[in-house]
Amino acid sequence: MAGTRLGAQYNTGISTLEPGQSLGSAMGAGGKGHNRGLQICVQGLDDAQEFYDLESKADGQSFYSEVLRRINLIESDYFGLEFQNLQMNWVWLEPTKLIVKQVRRPMNTLFRLSVKFFPPDPGQLQEEFTRYLFSLQIKRDLIEGRLNCTENTAALLASHLVQSEIGDYDDIADREFLKINKLLPYQERVQEKIMEIHRRHIGQTPAETDFQVLEIARKLEMYGVRFHPAADREGTKINLAVAHMGLQVFQGHTKINTFNWSKIRKLSFKRKQFLIKLHPEGLHQDTLEFLLGSRDQCKIFWKNCVEHHSFFRLLDQPQPKSKAIFFSRGSSFRYRCTRVIILMWGVTQYCNALLLKVTFPNTGLNSINVLPFFFYPVDSTTDSPQPSPLNTKGPLCLSPSFQMSTLSLPGQAPSPLQSPILNEVGTARLEEDEEGSRKRYPTDKAYFIAKEILTTERTYLKDLEVITVWFRSAVIKENAMPEGLMTLLFSNIDPIYEFHRGFLKEIDQRLALWEGRSNAHVKGDYQRIGDVMLRNMCALKEFTGYLQKHDEVLTELEKATKRVKKLETVYKEFELQKVCYLPLNTFLLKPIQRLMHYKLILERLCKHYAPPHRDYDDCKEALKEVAEIAAQLQSSLIRLENFQKLTELQRDLIGIENLSAPGREFIREGCLYKLTKKGLQQRMFFLFSDMLLYTSKGVTATNQFKVHGQLPLHGMIVSYTVYCCGMRNSKRYAVMHISNSRSSDEVSLEQESEDDMNSSRCSLDKQSHHRANTTMHVCWHRNTSVSMSDHSLAVENQLSGYLLRKFKNSNGWQKLWVVFTNFCLFFYKTHQDDFPLASLPLLGYTVSTPGDSDSIHKEYVFKLQFKSHVYFFRAESEYTFESDGKATFSASLLQSSVSHDPSEIIPIC
């Protein structure tokens, strides 16, 4: 199965009869004649079929283990064996039961290996072979019509599958392959489209195409969905499904409701009736009833729900004699979760404190105990024992060149937005003038979308200047960069910078004409932007080659900083400059990220316009052009963002070498408490695809974190103990086993000194020679965590534009140019400024609209609050403010900085 990438024609079934064997004798062999052993056929995800000789009393687990051994599948927890029962429903083979107790005639039954649990981001799977199998599952779902999507999306997926199977485009080979292999139910209708798209995939490796298939598929509403036909109380036909986030309800192929695990109190079934009991919320009914076709179908779906809950919520089932709060009393079914990924930051908030224990069996190593920071109420007024608040005596700023932050506790440091430089008389009390100018703007939503392109393009060009102007000047002045690297870096980014200078000028001119503020007496219809976008998106395709080299640029720059001492010094000193308000290598990702921004903005324009609109066709074509470029560079962007994060952490951590090792992926960073002999000690944890690091914050001048533990995930066992208020004794709740153990020499646990423990509570109260503009410092002080998916979402919601800030205890408003990126608001007096005057890290903040007690009676105002720190900002239009538009400041803050699900312990806002 793993030895070939060539696809096989889809088989609807095979005969399992051996030569000379009659149907009657075969049926007898599958009936009572168990003592002769079992020969069972399994169809792999590549449609190849193999026979397995098993003992007559073999259980499902031994059967599955033999399949795994033969195909050498490591990440096995996502998969399972399924078969069709007498009612022709696909059911999963249970590991704890005998095969002959589950299947009436196992020797005449075709089993098939399938993906059982679909993670939200399959691209994060560690093994290339696992991703290959997932792509084959997507292929199977397409063939069987399960993965419902538009014809264009289906053709795109099919084109990647063709690239994976036969390589680069060849007209004859493509036609022959598509003639023999069926990838879509309606393949003949879109065959030319598949071949046209396949032509653009030249050079993609099979591994890259697998990644593209998964990246496209995971965004589809029907990704991983398996329908269970049912009816609601009124008899309306619906389909139920279960996924990683909870239960889903579909009407046809349209999802009409989702019940997150956090909202579900109990799942049960009684005969054909499936019951969902929800946590009570106001006047909403707390019990939902659905009717399935039979009791067996109802039980099958209930089992799937139990397994998915155990798998994705990482809760192991109670012991058989203990009382089950999630499972029905009517069944003894239990599911044991053996997942490999630790998501300790996402555990549900069912109790006050939860103690996790990480051990390595059979290695002689000590275990460590950690306590999630955020299971204690932040502002609790109860008398129950709690960790003391952090002693944050001084401010933390994302750029060390200026002091501005709200990370300290109330009364210990001034607000970052009360800086005198942001309260100059010349910029205050612009309310009346702003009202007048507000009325002169066009009211069409398309204008504000076009204006968003303009404002974000201004910020983007400034970001490019950090490299093309400021960093170039620094390295030339000190003659610090090797000539070859200079050529590679600037020959790639200079043409892009020049292109966007012209693009910005053209957009600015068009908006001037649209607003009617241009002095040029030009006739024509200029209240549109599609023609400008189409012209420039077509021109941008010429720079694809430059963008594809950014992977090499980032890698070579990192190598050179390690090799050339002078360059390393210049690099570090430059990151301390005001103009470098983000980690330097972040700016090298901007050109590819900008493509994704264009795509999102154009999608909003196309959604806003009706097809007859004069601007619709140009916008649609522009979207098509940029989507093609973005699709080509999507995998590169994901690699670059991961590499950038690893190199950023390498400079911020002491005691770890070669953090950016090949294949390693960053997953999450955040604060927990470690239980030591001295008591609970705050630690910063970093979770990667292959290991877990825990560190402490030192008092060093470099402002770095010191690594104390380096734990490989393979062989790790994670258990957690629940501590509830008023209970002295802890209760063992669950144990999760993780993969296979390795030798002890792979673990490095440093002995922690008392000085390190005491310094872990030290705040950033000294002027540092090391930059502090990283999320880990904010997570440390805000007691929160951030995942790589959060970073990716934040990138999608970058914004810039003018906002009005309300003065404290005053009716005056101050106009500021604001850039929202990397979970932070950066404030400038105007968009022409080279560096920000202040910043406001948003991790931990909530976003809302003002209440009656706030006494603000203006339109388009949103409120930011963290504990006692409160800020009010006013947008210039309804579009900039509206809560359902991803292009808006308020909505972007919500999209990238707020955890909507209260059960997710990721208090980003």
Side-chain angles (χ1 to χ4, degrees):
M1 183 174 180
T4 177
R5 295 301 301 264
L6 296 178
Q9 188 172 5
Y10 180 68
N11 296 316
T12 57
I14 65 165
S15 171
T16 60
L17 298 179
E18 297 181 357
Q21 187 180 22
S22 68
L23 180 61
S25 62
M27 293 177 65
K32 298 181 179 180
H34 300 319
N35 295 329
R36 292 185 295 171
L38 301 173
Q39 187 180 59
I40 301 179
C41 182
V42 176
Q43 178 177 306
L45 279 159
D46 61 352
D47 293 336
Q49 297 176 355
E50 294 191 28
F51 285 90
Y52 291 81
D53 294 315
L54 305 172
E55 295 181 0
S56 60
K57 293 187 178 181
D59 58 19
Q61 183 58 53
S62 60
F63 181 20
Y64 185 49
S65 298
E66 180 61 23
V67 174
L68 298 178
R69 185 195 63 78
R70 189 175 296 187
I71 66 175
N72 194 27
L73 176 58
I74 297 174
E75 294 176 284
S76 58
D77 296 319
Y78 297 98
F79 300 85
L81 293 173
E82 59 178 349
F83 64 94
Q84 285 185 304
N85 60 13
L86 293 177
Q87 291 76 34
M88 301 306 292
N89 296 317
W90 285 102
V91 296
W92 295 104
L93 186 69
E94 293 183 27
T96 58
K97 291 185 179 180
L98 297 181
I99 297 174
V100 294
K101 294 292 185 180
Q102 304 180 63
V103 189
R104 185 174 181 183
R105 296 185 178 89
M107 295 180 66
N108 294 87
T109 300
L110 178 66
F111 293 82
R112 66 179 188 181
L113 181 70
S114 301
V115 175
K116 189 173 186 178
F117 302 109
F118 289 80
D121 187 1
Q124 297 293 327
L125 296 169
Q126 299 181 43
E127 298 287 329
E128 179 184 332
F129 181 51
T130 313
R131 294 192 291 270
Y132 168 55
L133 294 182
F134 263 78
S135 71
L136 290 179
Q137 181 68 60
I138 300 302
K139 175 183 176 183
R140 179 188 287 176
D141 289 350
L142 278 173
I143 295 170
E144 296 180 354
R146 282 181 167 179
L147 191 61
N148 188 57
C149 56
T150 65
E151 288 190 358
N152 287 337
T153 301
L156 178 60
L157 283 167
S159 71
H160 283 295
L161 292 171
V162 174
Q163 176 73 17
S164 176
E165 302 288 358
I166 67 174
D168 290 345
Y169 172 83
D170 178 88
D171 188 78
I172 297 176
D174 275 37
R175 294 185 186 278
E176 188 66 25
F177 177 82
L178 293 172
K179 181 180 179 181
I180 298 174
N181 297 275
K182 186 177 181 181
L183 302 178
L184 300 172
Y186 43 85
Q187 186 164 302
E188 295 78 10
R189 191 162 69 240
V190 295
Q191 178 167 318
E192 295 301 321
K193 184 77 172 178
I194 296 172
M195 295 173 61
E196 176 189 346
I197 302 175
H198 180 214
R199 191 193 300 266
R200 306 169 191 167
H201 301 331
I202 293 177
Q204 284 189 6
T205 65
E208 290 173 338
T209 56
D210 291 342
F211 186 87
Q212 292 294 338
V213 168
L214 300 181
E215 188 64 20
I216 297 167
R218 75 179 180 91
K219 298 176 182 178
L220 299 176
E221 194 164 66
M222 296 297 294
Y223 163 71
V225 170
R226 300 293 181 261
F227 279 160
H228 295 259
D232 61 15
R233 281 182 172 179
E234 287 73 33
T236 305
K237 291 184 178 180
I238 57 170
N239 288 305
L240 299 177
V242 60
H244 64 92
M245 82 291 285
L247 272 65
Q248 301 173 327
V249 182
F250 289 81
Q251 200 161 36
H253 287 91
T254 303
K255 183 164 62 177
I256 60 176
N257 211 339
T258 299
F259 302 103
N260 291 335
W261 296 124
S262 62
K263 297 180 180 179
I264 298 175
R265 188 152 53 102
K266 182 180 180 180
L267 294 178
S268 60
F269 70 96
K270 184 177 181 181
R271 298 185 180 89
K272 297 192 296 183
Q273 193 178 41
F274 185 80
L275 303 173
I276 304 175
K277 183 165 286 190
L278 305 174
H279 291 287
E281 294 183 1
L283 300 176
H284 298 289
Q285 88 182 83
D286 61 352
T287 302
L288 303 173
E289 300 176 9
F290 299 96
L291 199 66
L292 278 79
S294 66
R295 181 188 182 278
D296 287 343
Q297 292 178 23
C298 202
K299 187 174 182 180
I300 288 171
F301 180 59
W302 177 79
K303 283 184 178 181
N304 286 342
C305 293
V306 172
E307 292 175 333
H308 275 76
H309 179 270
S310 299
F311 189 86
F312 288 108
R313 299 296 277 185
L314 298 179
L315 296 175
D316 207 2
Q317 83 285 359
Q319 296 300 319
K321 292 183 180 180
S322 63
K323 183 178 180 181
I325 60 171
F326 186 77
F327 310 110
S328 168
R329 297 181 188 177
S331 173
S332 61
F333 175 72
R334 299 290 183 268
Y335 178 70
R336 187 167 184 82
C337 176
T338 57
R339 274 203 72 190
V340 66
I341 301 176
I342 315 169
L343 295 177
M344 61 181 66
W345 290 282
V347 184
T348 53
Q349 195 172 13
Y350 287 138
C351 51
N352 300 98
L354 184 124
L355 183 69
L356 293 103
K357 184 177 184 180
V358 182
T359 59
F360 290 81
N362 304 321
T363 62
L365 295 171
N366 295 327
S367 62
I368 66 168
N369 297 310
V370 293
L371 182 68
F373 204 130
F374 31 76
F375 278 96
Y376 287 104
V378 177
D379 296 317
S380 176
T381 57
T382 64
D383 297 328
S384 57
Q386 297 184 43
S388 301
L390 290 178
N391 180 24
T392 51
K393 296 180 180 179
L396 164 68
C397 57
L398 290 193
S399 290
S401 306
F402 39 89
Q403 298 297 316
M404 45 179 173
S405 177
T406 60
L407 294 185
S408 53
L409 295 177
Q412 293 178 319
S415 162
L417 300 186
Q418 305 308 318
S419 169
I421 199 167
L422 291 181
N423 290 324
E424 296 177 2
V425 177
T427 60
R429 299 188 180 277
L430 301 177
E431 182 177 334
E432 294 302 322
D433 292 339
E434 189 64 20
E435 289 289 350
S437 62
R438 195 187 298 265
K439 296 175 182 178
R440 294 195 296 269
Y441 289 147
T443 57
D444 184 11
K445 183 177 179 180
Y447 162 79
F448 291 103
I449 299 177
K451 190 171 183 180
E452 182 193 344
I453 300 174
L454 172 64
T455 56
T456 53
E457 190 73 5
R458 285 173 177 167
T459 298
Y460 171 58
L461 202 65
K462 284 289 184 182
D463 287 341
L464 290 182
E465 288 177 355
V466 173
I467 301 291
T468 59
V469 178
W470 299 94
F471 185 59
R472 187 206 305 264
S473 175
V475 294
I476 291 177
K477 180 180 178 181
E478 299 296 332
N479 192 24
M481 185 176 288
E483 184 176 348
L485 180 58
M486 283 279 290
T487 302
L488 176 65
L489 172 58
F490 295 109
S491 65
N492 270 282
I493 201 166
D494 283 345
I496 297 173
Y497 173 68
E498 290 301 322
F499 166 78
H500 285 281
R501 284 183 63 189
F503 183 28
L504 175 61
K505 184 177 181 180
E506 191 172 356
I507 299 174
D508 200 6
Q509 291 174 344
R510 174 55 57 88
L511 265 293
L513 292 168
W514 198 330
E515 295 171 357
R517 56 183 170 86
S518 173
N519 294 325
H521 298 284
V522 182
K523 294 182 179 180
D525 179 11
Y526 291 104
Q527 293 188 347
R528 57 195 179 99
I529 197 66
D531 58 330
V532 176
M533 295 301 295
L534 176 59
R535 186 162 53 250
N536 284 277
M537 293 305 101
C538 290
L540 193 58
K541 294 178 70 173
E542 300 176 9
F543 297 91
T544 305
Y546 295 104
L547 297 172
Q548 289 173 335
K549 286 188 176 181
H550 277 229
D551 201 331
E552 180 185 358
V553 170
L554 200 61
T555 304
E556 291 302 318
L557 179 60
E558 187 64 21
K559 289 180 180 178
T561 55
K562 296 178 180 179
R563 187 176 67 251
V564 182
K565 190 67 177 177
K566 184 184 290 186
L567 177 59
E568 181 185 21
T569 302
V570 171
Y571 192 108
K572 290 181 178 179
E573 290 179 352
F574 182 76
E575 284 197 317
L576 297 178
Q577 303 302 312
K578 293 180 180 181
V579 71
C580 190
Y581 66 99
L582 297 173
L584 178 59
N585 54 11
T586 302
F587 294 98
L588 290 171
L589 306 182
K590 296 291 183 178
I592 303 181
Q593 291 173 343
R594 186 59 176 156
L595 291 174
M596 311 304 168
H597 299 162
Y598 291 144
K599 181 173 176 289
L600 292 172
I601 295 172
L602 284 166
E603 285 174 348
R604 284 198 294 275
L605 269 173
C606 292
K607 185 178 180 180
H608 168 67
Y609 285 136
H613 194 280
R614 61 188 180 280
D615 206 22
Y616 178 82
D617 289 338
D618 285 342
C619 288
K620 198 73 174 177
E621 283 300 310
L623 175 59
K624 178 182 177 182
E625 295 293 335
V626 76
E628 290 177 3
I629 312 174
Q632 293 181 41
L633 297 169
Q634 179 67 38
S635 59
S636 295
L637 176 59
I638 293 173
R639 287 197 308 272
L640 286 170
E641 289 179 339
N642 182 68
F643 181 77
Q644 184 277 324
K645 186 61 182 177
L646 292 176
T647 54
E648 177 186 316
L649 291 176
Q650 183 72 74
R651 288 191 288 276
D652 285 332
L653 299 179
I654 300 175
I656 179 71
E657 298 293 334
N658 195 27
L659 191 60
S660 55
R664 177 171 295 151
E665 297 177 3
F666 169 76
I667 297 176
R668 182 178 286 276
E669 61 187 0
C671 269
L672 302 172
Y673 268 135
K674 179 176 181 290
L675 185 61
T676 69
K677 293 180 180 179
K678 301 283 186 178
L680 294 175
Q681 302 289 335
Q682 184 186 351
R683 294 291 180 262
M684 188 73 185
F685 278 69
F686 301 88
L687 179 62
F688 303 92
S689 57
D690 60 339
M691 67 173 178
L692 177 68
L693 297 182
Y694 67 99
T695 68
S696 67
K697 181 71 182 66
V699 213
T700 61
T702 57
N703 218 3
Q704 293 166 290
F705 286 76
K706 183 177 181 180
V707 175
H708 290 292
Q710 181 178 343
L711 312 174
L713 296 190
H714 288 282
M716 186 184 292
I717 291 180
V718 178
S719 63
Y720 50 93
T721 305
V722 180
Y723 290 88
C724 294
C725 290
M727 295 180 61
R728 292 185 178 182
N729 298 324
S730 62
K731 176 182 178 183
R732 188 64 168 274
Y733 193 78
V735 177
M736 294 170 290
H737 298 280
I738 304 178
S739 191
N740 297 318
S741 61
R742 291 188 176 185
S743 59
S744 60
D745 59 359
E746 292 185 336
V747 182
S748 172
L749 290 174
E750 299 178 11
Q751 183 66 37
E752 297 180 3
S753 67
E754 187 165 343
D755 290 339
D756 288 330
M757 292 181 179
N758 292 334
S759 68
S760 67
R761 293 180 180 271
C762 179
S763 64
L764 306 178
D765 55 352
K766 296 183 179 180
Q767 185 67 20
S768 170
H769 296 293
H770 183 78
R771 60 188 174 82
N773 53 344
T774 61
T775 53
M776 76 165 71
H777 294 89
V778 184
C779 288
W780 176 262
H781 285 266
R782 297 273 170 85
N783 313 333
T784 185
S785 73
V786 175
S787 71
M788 194 63 198
S789 59
D790 294 328
H791 281 280
S792 299
L793 188 60
V795 166
E796 291 181 3
N797 289 281
Q798 293 185 20
L799 276 175
S800 55
Y802 281 104
L803 289 178
L804 295 174
R805 179 186 68 87
K806 185 181 183 299
F807 288 124
K808 188 175 182 180
N809 301 323
S810 169
N811 292 325
W813 294 80
Q814 176 186 17
K815 188 175 182 180
L816 295 169
W817 177 259
V818 181
V819 174
F820 175 49
T821 183
N822 290 43
F823 308 105
C824 186
L825 288 177
F826 294 91
F827 300 91
Y828 304 71
K829 289 180 65 177
T830 71
H831 71 268
Q832 297 175 336
D833 292 354
D834 292 324
F835 53 85
L837 303 172
S839 65
L840 179 64
L842 292 180
L843 296 176
Y845 271 77
T846 57
V847 184
S848 62
T849 54
D852 295 337
S853 60
D854 295 317
S855 300
I856 294 181
H857 308 291
K858 297 291 183 182
E859 292 181 311
Y860 317 139
V861 176
F862 60 93
K863 177 181 179 181
L864 294 177
Q865 183 170 4
F866 174 72
K867 296 187 178 179
S868 64
H869 296 281
V870 180
Y871 304 103
F872 297 97
F873 293 94
R874 188 179 177 198
E876 66 178 5
S877 68
E878 181 179 1
Y879 170 76
T880 316
F881 171 77
E882 63 182 356
S883 61
D884 61 346
K886 291 184 179 179
T888 68
F889 264 109
S890 55
S892 290
L893 296 175
L894 288 167
Q895 287 287 330
S896 62
S897 300
V898 178
S899 178
H900 293 284
D901 185 353
S903 71
E904 293 296 326
I905 313 303
I906 309 170
I908 296 174
C909 245

